[in-house]
Amino acid sequence: MRYCLGAPDNYANLWAALAFMPFGLFFDFMDGKVARWRHKSSLMGQELDSLADLVSFGVSPAAAAFAIGMRTPVDHLLLTFFVLCGLTRLARFNVTVAALPKDKTGKSKFFEGTPIPTTLSIAAVMAYWVSQGWILENIPMGVVGKGTPFEFHPIVAMFVLSGSLMVSKTIHIPKP
């Protein structure tokens, strides 16, 4: 968000925000591995892991989208939908994890809906846009309904699609 306060041609803070998102994936993998290695887990740890996932893979990409220029009221609504889909996906996982089939190590055999870390692909797309200067007024696909209350960036549909796939009950993705 610091990028929003600076000069529009100084991308340093934007690059930093996009570059730190993959660290969330590393720490997400590591906390699970350490818990299994120690044979220790707790409800508190599970909830904190979900909160960290929501911030790393839900709020951060939405905040980056805002920073690069998706700032209309409809964009806000659709980015909020994306974050709430991430929240719903994590909450459903925490509630149903005990009922899902598990392998011999105790891990669930599949993800129901796409895992929230798949949103890193959106962060990669946004990093590409920054590298090309496709931000603010130059966001791919432009703006629809300019000057109306329904003005929005059609590319925000990528967030809506990602959010919808996260909460899908019919998609089962095998865990590695």
Side-chain angles (χ1 to χ4, degrees):
M1 299 312 291
R2 185 177 284 240
Y3 167 75
C4 294
L5 300 173
D9 59 344
N10 182 358
Y11 300 155
N13 289 312
L14 195 50
W15 278 118
L18 292 167
F20 276 106
M21 286 185 207
F23 286 106
L25 185 63
F26 171 76
F27 290 114
D28 189 35
F29 284 145
M30 292 309 294
D31 72 351
K33 285 201 176 291
V34 169
R36 283 186 293 281
W37 173 68
R38 293 187 65 217
H39 302 291
K40 301 248 183 207
S41 66
S42 69
L43 189 56
M44 175 74 139
Q46 179 181 330
E47 298 302 327
L48 287 174
D49 179 65
S50 290
L51 179 60
D53 287 352
L54 181 64
V55 171
S56 297
F57 309 119
V59 175
S60 293
F66 175 86
I68 67 169
M70 295 182 208
R71 300 180 185 170
T72 71
V74 175
D75 291 341
H76 296 169
L77 180 70
L78 297 175
L79 291 171
T80 301
F81 170 81
F82 167 75
V83 173
L84 292 175
C85 283
L87 176 65
T88 302
R89 192 253 183 272
L90 292 166
R92 186 179 68 207
F93 175 78
N94 288 347
V95 169
T96 62
V97 70
L100 293 176
K102 296 184 176 38
D103 64 15
K104 62 184 177 199
T105 66
K107 287 177 65 176
S108 301
K109 291 184 176 182
F110 59 83
F111 293 106
E112 190 173 72
T114 56
I116 194 167
T118 59
T119 63
L120 285 177
S121 61
I122 295 175
V125 168
M126 289 189 292
Y128 178 72
W129 294 346
V130 172
S131 75
Q132 300 299 309
W134 299 343
I135 62 170
L136 301 174
E137 291 82 28
N138 300 320
I139 292 177
M141 301 174 86
V143 177
V144 171
K146 193 166 184 84
T148 70
F150 303 107
E151 176 179 357
F152 73 101
H153 294 88
I155 202 71
V156 81
M158 156 175 80
F159 286 88
V160 173
L161 177 63
S162 177
S164 298
L165 291 173
M166 281 191 279
V167 296
S168 171
K169 291 189 74 130
T170 58
I171 296 174
H172 290 167
I173 299 173
K175 283 190 168 186

